[in-house]
PDB file of all heavy atoms in Angstrom:
ATOM      1  N   GLY A 124     100.825 110.335  99.062  1.00 89.00           N
ATOM      2  CA  GLY A 124     102.136 110.941  99.328  1.00 89.00           C
ATOM      3  C   GLY A 124     103.091 110.743  98.169  1.00 89.00           C
ATOM      4  O   GLY A 124     104.186 110.222  98.349  1.00 89.00           O
ATOM      5  N   GLY A 184     112.434  99.353  96.791  1.00 97.00           N
ATOM      6  CA  GLY A 184     111.564 100.367  97.411  1.00 97.00           C
ATOM      7  C   GLY A 184     111.709 100.434  98.924  1.00 97.00           C
ATOM      8  O   GLY A 184     112.176  99.480  99.569  1.00 97.00           O
ATOM      9  N   GLY A 185     111.294 101.588  99.464  1.00 97.00           N
ATOM     10  CA  GLY A 185     111.350 101.781 100.921  1.00 97.00           C
ATOM     11  C   GLY A 185     110.431 100.794 101.634  1.00 97.00           C
ATOM     12  O   GLY A 185     110.771 100.229 102.676  1.00 97.00           O
ATOM     13  N   ARG A 186     109.255 100.579 101.047  1.00 97.00           N
ATOM     14  CA  ARG A 186     108.277  99.693 101.682  1.00 97.00           C
ATOM     15  C   ARG A 186     108.862  98.285 101.850  1.00 97.00           C
ATOM     16  O   ARG A 186     108.781  97.684 102.911  1.00 97.00           O
ATOM     17  CB  ARG A 186     107.009  99.638 100.821  1.00 97.00           C
ATOM     18  CG  ARG A 186     105.895  98.827 101.412  1.00 97.00           C
ATOM     19  CD  ARG A 186     104.752  98.754 100.430  1.00 97.00           C
ATOM     20  NE  ARG A 186     103.925  99.939 100.425  1.00 97.00           N
ATOM     21  CZ  ARG A 186     102.863 100.123 101.206  1.00 97.00           C
ATOM     22  NH1 ARG A 186     102.512  99.203 102.073  1.00 97.00           N
ATOM     23  NH2 ARG A 186     102.148 101.216 101.124  1.00 97.00           N
ATOM     24  N   PHE A 187     109.473  97.783 100.777  1.00 98.00           N
ATOM     25  CA  PHE A 187     110.016  96.430 100.872  1.00 98.00           C
ATOM     26  C   PHE A 187     111.258  96.400 101.775  1.00 98.00           C
ATOM     27  O   PHE A 187     111.527  95.383 102.430  1.00 98.00           O
ATOM     28  CB  PHE A 187     110.318  95.857  99.479  1.00 98.00           C
ATOM     29  CG  PHE A 187     110.615  94.388  99.509  1.00 98.00           C
ATOM     30  CD1 PHE A 187     109.704  93.498 100.043  1.00 98.00           C
ATOM     31  CD2 PHE A 187     111.814  93.892  99.044  1.00 98.00           C
ATOM     32  CE1 PHE A 187     109.971  92.144 100.115  1.00 98.00           C
ATOM     33  CE2 PHE A 187     112.106  92.537  99.101  1.00 98.00           C
ATOM     34  CZ  PHE A 187     111.176  91.660  99.644  1.00 98.00           C
ATOM     35  N   ILE A 189     111.496  98.022 104.464  1.00 98.00           N
ATOM     36  CA  ILE A 189     110.948  97.922 105.818  1.00 98.00           C
ATOM     37  C   ILE A 189     110.503  96.487 106.101  1.00 98.00           C
ATOM     38  O   ILE A 189     110.805  95.925 107.155  1.00 98.00           O
ATOM     39  CB  ILE A 189     109.799  98.941 106.001  1.00 98.00           C
ATOM     40  CG1 ILE A 189     110.435 100.321 106.163  1.00 98.00           C
ATOM     41  CG2 ILE A 189     108.920  98.617 107.196  1.00 98.00           C
ATOM     42  CD1 ILE A 189     109.543 101.468 105.887  1.00 98.00           C
ATOM     43  N   TRP A 210     102.657 105.346 109.871  1.00 97.00           N
ATOM     44  CA  TRP A 210     102.389 104.821 108.531  1.00 97.00           C
ATOM     45  C   TRP A 210     101.927 103.365 108.705  1.00 97.00           C
ATOM     46  O   TRP A 210     102.622 102.567 109.353  1.00 97.00           O
ATOM     47  CB  TRP A 210     103.684 104.891 107.718  1.00 97.00           C
ATOM     48  CG  TRP A 210     103.529 104.531 106.278  1.00 97.00           C
ATOM     49  CD1 TRP A 210     102.588 104.992 105.412  1.00 97.00           C
ATOM     50  CD2 TRP A 210     104.363 103.636 105.537  1.00 97.00           C
ATOM     51  NE1 TRP A 210     102.792 104.435 104.176  1.00 97.00           N
ATOM     52  CE2 TRP A 210     103.868 103.602 104.217  1.00 97.00           C
ATOM     53  CE3 TRP A 210     105.488 102.865 105.845  1.00 97.00           C
ATOM     54  CZ2 TRP A 210     104.445 102.829 103.223  1.00 97.00           C
ATOM     55  CZ3 TRP A 210     106.060 102.108 104.850  1.00 97.00           C
ATOM     56  CH2 TRP A 210     105.537 102.092 103.554  1.00 97.00           C
ATOM     57  N   TYR A 213     103.849  99.518 108.822  1.00 97.00           N
ATOM     58  CA  TYR A 213     104.646  98.879 109.886  1.00 97.00           C
ATOM     59  C   TYR A 213     103.836  97.775 110.561  1.00 97.00           C
ATOM     60  O   TYR A 213     104.302  96.659 110.745  1.00 97.00           O
ATOM     61  CB  TYR A 213     105.085  99.888 110.960  1.00 97.00           C
ATOM     62  CG  TYR A 213     105.766 101.125 110.427  1.00 97.00           C
ATOM     63  CD1 TYR A 213     105.399 102.392 110.874  1.00 97.00           C
ATOM     64  CD2 TYR A 213     106.771 101.033 109.477  1.00 97.00           C
ATOM     65  CE1 TYR A 213     106.008 103.532 110.388  1.00 97.00           C
ATOM     66  CE2 TYR A 213     107.385 102.166 108.982  1.00 97.00           C
ATOM     67  CZ  TYR A 213     106.998 103.413 109.438  1.00 97.00           C
ATOM     68  OH  TYR A 213     107.594 104.530 108.951  1.00 97.00           O
ATOM     69  N   ASN A 256     109.963 106.916 112.845  1.00 98.00           N
ATOM     70  CA  ASN A 256     109.868 107.508 111.507  1.00 98.00           C
ATOM     71  C   ASN A 256     109.855 109.033 111.639  1.00 98.00           C
ATOM     72  O   ASN A 256     108.846 109.633 111.954  1.00 98.00           O
ATOM     73  CB  ASN A 256     108.574 106.993 110.839  1.00 98.00           C
ATOM     74  CG  ASN A 256     108.168 107.796 109.608  1.00 98.00           C
ATOM     75  OD1 ASN A 256     106.996 108.159 109.441  1.00 98.00           O
ATOM     76  ND2 ASN A 256     109.092 108.075 108.744  1.00 98.00           N
ATOM     77  N   ASN A 260     105.455 110.649 108.943  1.00 98.00           N
ATOM     78  CA  ASN A 260     104.201 110.546 108.205  1.00 98.00           C
ATOM     79  C   ASN A 260     103.204 109.960 109.195  1.00 98.00           C
ATOM     80  O   ASN A 260     103.431 108.844 109.654  1.00 98.00           O
ATOM     81  CB  ASN A 260     104.375 109.593 107.013  1.00 98.00           C
ATOM     82  CG  ASN A 260     103.077 109.262 106.318  1.00 98.00           C
ATOM     83  OD1 ASN A 260     102.049 109.842 106.602  1.00 98.00           O
ATOM     84  ND2 ASN A 260     103.133 108.301 105.401  1.00 98.00           N
ATOM     85  N   ASP A 288     112.862 104.680 109.921  1.00 98.00           N
ATOM     86  CA  ASP A 288     112.410 104.922 108.557  1.00 98.00           C
ATOM     87  C   ASP A 288     112.672 106.398 108.238  1.00 98.00           C
ATOM     88  O   ASP A 288     111.997 107.283 108.760  1.00 98.00           O
ATOM     89  CB  ASP A 288     110.913 104.585 108.479  1.00 98.00           C
ATOM     90  CG  ASP A 288     110.322 104.884 107.106  1.00 98.00           C
ATOM     91  OD1 ASP A 288     110.999 105.500 106.267  1.00 98.00           O
ATOM     92  OD2 ASP A 288     109.155 104.498 106.890  1.00 98.00           O
ATOM     93  N   VAL A 290     112.718 107.907 105.115  1.00 98.00           N
ATOM     94  CA  VAL A 290     112.460 108.191 103.697  1.00 98.00           C
ATOM     95  C   VAL A 290     112.196 109.675 103.428  1.00 98.00           C
ATOM     96  O   VAL A 290     112.338 110.135 102.303  1.00 98.00           O
ATOM     97  CB  VAL A 290     111.300 107.343 103.089  1.00 98.00           C
ATOM     98  CG1 VAL A 290     111.583 105.863 103.162  1.00 98.00           C
ATOM     99  CG2 VAL A 290     109.980 107.678 103.710  1.00 98.00           C
ATOM    100  N   TYR A 291     111.827 110.424 104.494  1.00 98.00           N
ATOM    101  CA  TYR A 291     111.568 111.859 104.293  1.00 98.00           C
ATOM    102  C   TYR A 291     112.720 112.741 104.775  1.00 98.00           C
ATOM    103  O   TYR A 291     112.542 113.938 104.949  1.00 98.00           O
ATOM    104  CB  TYR A 291     110.271 112.263 105.018  1.00 98.00           C
ATOM    105  CG  TYR A 291     109.038 111.618 104.443  1.00 98.00           C
ATOM    106  CD1 TYR A 291     108.432 110.526 105.079  1.00 98.00           C
ATOM    107  CD2 TYR A 291     108.480 112.064 103.253  1.00 98.00           C
ATOM    108  CE1 TYR A 291     107.316 109.912 104.541  1.00 98.00           C
ATOM    109  CE2 TYR A 291     107.354 111.462 102.709  1.00 98.00           C
ATOM    110  CZ  TYR A 291     106.774 110.381 103.358  1.00 98.00           C
ATOM    111  OH  TYR A 291     105.663 109.780 102.819  1.00 98.00           O
ATOM    112  N   SER A 315     114.861 105.762 100.789  1.00 98.00           N
ATOM    113  CA  SER A 315     114.275 105.444  99.495  1.00 98.00           C
ATOM    114  C   SER A 315     114.579 106.554  98.498  1.00 98.00           C
ATOM    115  O   SER A 315     114.843 107.690  98.892  1.00 98.00           O
ATOM    116  CB  SER A 315     112.765 105.311  99.679  1.00 98.00           C
ATOM    117  OG  SER A 315     112.117 105.322  98.453  1.00 98.00           O
ATOM    118  N   PHE A 316     114.512 106.222  97.226  1.00 98.00           N
ATOM    119  CA  PHE A 316     114.672 107.251  96.192  1.00 98.00           C
ATOM    120  C   PHE A 316     113.314 107.861  95.821  1.00 98.00           C
ATOM    121  O   PHE A 316     113.257 108.832  95.073  1.00 98.00           O
ATOM    122  CB  PHE A 316     115.341 106.647  94.941  1.00 98.00           C
ATOM    123  CG  PHE A 316     116.800 106.348  95.156  1.00 98.00           C
ATOM    124  CD1 PHE A 316     117.196 105.197  95.826  1.00 98.00           C
ATOM    125  CD2 PHE A 316     117.773 107.229  94.742  1.00 98.00           C
ATOM    126  CE1 PHE A 316     118.543 104.925  96.066  1.00 98.00           C
ATOM    127  CE2 PHE A 316     119.121 106.964  94.962  1.00 98.00           C
ATOM    128  CZ  PHE A 316     119.507 105.808  95.629  1.00 98.00           C
ATOM    129  N   SER A 317     112.227 107.277  96.350  1.00 97.00           N
ATOM    130  CA  SER A 317     110.883 107.700  95.946  1.00 97.00           C
ATOM    131  C   SER A 317     110.603 109.166  96.235  1.00 97.00           C
ATOM    132  O   SER A 317     110.135 109.901  95.370  1.00 97.00           O
ATOM    133  CB  SER A 317     109.828 106.875  96.694  1.00 97.00           C
ATOM    134  OG  SER A 317     109.812 105.567  96.228  1.00 97.00           O
ATOM    135  N   LYS A 318     110.861 109.566  97.492  1.00 96.00           N
ATOM    136  CA  LYS A 318     110.433 110.907  97.903  1.00 96.00           C
ATOM    137  C   LYS A 318     111.507 111.943  97.569  1.00 96.00           C
ATOM    138  O   LYS A 318     111.203 113.001  97.032  1.00 96.00           O
ATOM    139  CB  LYS A 318     110.149 110.928  99.415  1.00 96.00           C
ATOM    140  CG  LYS A 318     109.368 109.737  99.935  1.00 96.00           C
ATOM    141  CD  LYS A 318     107.913 109.754  99.523  1.00 96.00           C
ATOM    142  CE  LYS A 318     107.218 108.491 100.006  1.00 96.00           C
ATOM    143  NZ  LYS A 318     105.798 108.453  99.742  1.00 96.00           N
ATOM    144  N   THR A 323     109.051 107.539  92.677  1.00 96.00           N
ATOM    145  CA  THR A 323     108.164 106.522  93.272  1.00 96.00           C
ATOM    146  C   THR A 323     108.024 105.258  92.413  1.00 96.00           C
ATOM    147  O   THR A 323     108.090 104.152  92.931  1.00 96.00           O
ATOM    148  CB  THR A 323     106.764 107.122  93.517  1.00 96.00           C
ATOM    149  OG1 THR A 323     106.426 107.891  92.375  1.00 96.00           O
ATOM    150  CG2 THR A 323     106.731 107.995  94.745  1.00 96.00           C
ATOM    151  N   ARG A 326     110.776 102.137  92.088  1.00 98.00           N
ATOM    152  CA  ARG A 326     110.796 101.112  93.138  1.00 98.00           C
ATOM    153  C   ARG A 326     112.225 100.783  93.569  1.00 98.00           C
ATOM    154  O   ARG A 326     112.730  99.667  93.335  1.00 98.00           O
ATOM    155  CB  ARG A 326     110.061  99.810  92.710  1.00 98.00           C
ATOM    156  CG  ARG A 326     108.644  99.965  92.211  1.00 98.00           C
ATOM    157  CD  ARG A 326     107.784 100.848  93.096  1.00 98.00           C
ATOM    158  NE  ARG A 326     107.714 100.397  94.487  1.00 98.00           N
ATOM    159  CZ  ARG A 326     107.810 101.245  95.516  1.00 98.00           C
ATOM    160  NH1 ARG A 326     107.997 102.540  95.354  1.00 98.00           N
ATOM    161  NH2 ARG A 326     107.735 100.769  96.733  1.00 98.00           N
ATOM    162  N   ILE A 327     112.839 101.745  94.164  1.00 98.00           N
ATOM    163  CA  ILE A 327     114.185 101.500  94.683  1.00 98.00           C
ATOM    164  C   ILE A 327     114.393 102.242  96.014  1.00 98.00           C
ATOM    165  O   ILE A 327     114.052 103.420  96.145  1.00 98.00           O
ATOM    166  CB  ILE A 327     115.284 101.850  93.635  1.00 98.00           C
ATOM    167  CG1 ILE A 327     116.685 101.641  94.222  1.00 98.00           C
ATOM    168  CG2 ILE A 327     115.130 103.256  93.071  1.00 98.00           C
ATOM    169  CD1 ILE A 327     117.795 101.575  93.191  1.00 98.00           C
ATOM    170  N   GLY A 328     114.878 101.476  96.986  1.00 98.00           N
ATOM    171  CA  GLY A 328     115.184 102.028  98.296  1.00 98.00           C
ATOM    172  C   GLY A 328     116.409 101.313  98.829  1.00 98.00           C
ATOM    173  O   GLY A 328     117.060 100.549  98.094  1.00 98.00           O
ATOM    174  N   TYR A 402     103.272 116.206 104.749  1.00 97.00           N
ATOM    175  CA  TYR A 402     101.882 116.194 105.208  1.00 97.00           C
ATOM    176  C   TYR A 402     101.586 117.185 106.332  1.00 97.00           C
ATOM    177  O   TYR A 402     102.470 117.564 107.095  1.00 97.00           O
ATOM    178  CB  TYR A 402     101.521 114.794 105.723  1.00 97.00           C
ATOM    179  CG  TYR A 402     102.008 113.690 104.827  1.00 97.00           C
ATOM    180  CD1 TYR A 402     103.184 113.000 105.104  1.00 97.00           C
ATOM    181  CD2 TYR A 402     101.314 113.372 103.663  1.00 97.00           C
ATOM    182  CE1 TYR A 402     103.659 112.004 104.267  1.00 97.00           C
ATOM    183  CE2 TYR A 402     101.776 112.378 102.815  1.00 97.00           C
ATOM    184  CZ  TYR A 402     102.948 111.684 103.113  1.00 97.00           C
ATOM    185  OH  TYR A 402     103.407 110.706 102.277  1.00 97.00           O
TER     186      TYR A 402
HETATM  187  N1  PMP B 501     107.931 105.059 104.713  1.00 69.36           N
HETATM  188  C1  PMP B 501     106.984 106.005 104.819  1.00 69.36           C
HETATM  189  C2  PMP B 501     106.809 106.696 106.117  1.00 69.36           C
HETATM  190  C3  PMP B 501     106.183 106.328 103.724  1.00 69.36           C
HETATM  191  O1  PMP B 501     105.258 107.276 103.847  1.00 69.36           O
HETATM  192  C4  PMP B 501     106.386 105.625 102.505  1.00 69.36           C
HETATM  193  C5  PMP B 501     105.534 105.891 101.289  1.00 69.36           C
HETATM  194  N2  PMP B 501     104.330 106.425 101.467  1.00 69.36           N
HETATM  195  C6  PMP B 501     107.416 104.663 102.456  1.00 69.36           C
HETATM  196  C7  PMP B 501     108.150 104.396 103.575  1.00 69.36           C
HETATM  197  C8  PMP B 501     107.695 103.818 101.240  1.00 69.36           C
HETATM  198  O2  PMP B 501     108.046 104.475 100.110  1.00 69.36           O
HETATM  199  P1  PMP B 501     108.586 103.676  98.832  1.00 69.36           P
HETATM  200  O3  PMP B 501     108.210 102.250  98.966  1.00 69.36           O
HETATM  201  O4  PMP B 501     107.939 104.327  97.658  1.00 69.36           O
HETATM  202  O5  PMP B 501     110.061 103.860  98.859  1.00 69.36           O
END
Side-chain angles (χ1 to χ4, degrees):
R186 184 185 280 271
F187 191 57
I189 284 160
W210 187 48
Y213 308 133
N256 165 226
N260 171 8
D288 177 351
V290 300
Y291 294 102
S315 166
F316 288 80
S317 289
K318 316 288 176 176
T323 43
R326 307 313 303 137
I327 178 164
Y402 316 98

